[in-house]
Amino acid sequence: MADATALARKIKLLVLDVDGVLTDGGLYYGDEGLLVKRFNVQDGLGIKVAQAMGLEVGVITGLNQKPVENRVRELGIQHYYAGHHRKVPLFEEMCEKAGVDPQEAAYMGDDWIDLAVMRRAGLALCVPNAVPEVIEAADWISARQGGHGAVREAIAFILEARGLKEQALQHWVD
């Protein structure tokens, strides 16, 4: 396993899966078939902090759902691809649009659909409740589960490795 902190120092783009990473992975349907998603507010603030510190954030998700699109737009995430199961071409396109090499990008996932892009990224991140193959492929594993602050924890890890965590904190304290 590579030194995750050394890899994190190079990261300029963080790409996230949704279900199981930004959410707890549950699909909640009401009687009318309405889908409801639960997002963690700390992850949202973490994304805003990352953006304020110059770390770009993107999302690639296998499902195409309006609640996810709404949250992504609310957070000002410019790089968003929904409804795609083959994520590597989209990851590479996102890197190109952001002007970063794939080795300067991190990817956070939790399931088999994320493995190929995790292997292509410069830093592979996952949640502790990911499937075993994803845990094996990860350079870094959050302590928090998906939908419960794992993204915020990953962002703090990257900012700390890049020497930006204190500056990020001061952005909100001052």
Side-chain angles (χ1 to χ4, degrees):
M1 180 183 289
D3 177 9
T5 302
L7 296 173
R9 285 186 193 108
K10 304 176 198 171
I11 299 305
K12 298 177 182 174
L13 170 66
L14 172 62
V15 183
L16 305 166
D17 176 42
V18 175
D19 295 303
V21 174
L22 273 170
T23 75
D24 63 8
L27 298 174
Y28 304 94
Y29 289 94
D31 292 339
E32 305 289 319
L34 177 68
L35 175 68
V36 178
K37 293 278 190 176
R38 179 194 166 279
F39 295 93
N40 186 291
V41 71
Q42 290 180 348
D43 287 340
L45 182 60
I47 288 168
K48 299 309 283 180
V49 167
Q51 292 165 333
M53 298 286 75
L55 180 65
E56 290 204 50
V57 179
V59 169
I60 305 173
T61 179
L63 300 175
N64 190 357
Q65 302 164 325
K66 192 67 173 166
V68 175
E69 180 182 343
N70 292 342
R71 183 64 173 152
V72 165
R73 299 290 174 232
E74 181 179 66
L75 292 171
I77 296 171
Q78 302 298 312
H79 308 288
Y80 174 57
Y81 296 93
H84 298 280
H85 295 108
R86 299 285 181 199
K87 296 183 176 187
V88 170
L90 301 169
F91 171 76
E92 290 174 346
E93 181 179 321
M94 195 180 295
C95 288
E96 187 176 319
K97 286 182 177 179
V100 302
D101 184 273
Q103 293 303 300
E104 297 172 316
Y107 183 86
M108 189 170 199
D110 73 309
D111 211 336
W112 289 354
I113 193 172
D114 303 307
L115 275 172
V117 71
M118 286 176 69
R119 290 176 178 150
R120 180 76 174 100
L123 176 64
L125 312 166
C126 79
V127 294
N129 55 317
V131 298
E133 296 85 355
V134 168
I135 290 173
E136 178 70 26
D139 298 308
W140 180 89
I141 303 166
S142 66
R144 294 181 179 191
Q145 294 196 20
H148 295 277
V151 170
R152 174 68 169 272
E153 186 182 344
I155 289 167
F157 170 70
I158 292 168
L159 293 178
E160 178 79 32
R162 292 186 59 201
L164 298 172
K165 190 174 176 189
E166 286 305 313
Q167 183 182 344
L169 177 62
Q170 289 307 310
H171 178 81
W172 297 99
V173 174
D174 292 341

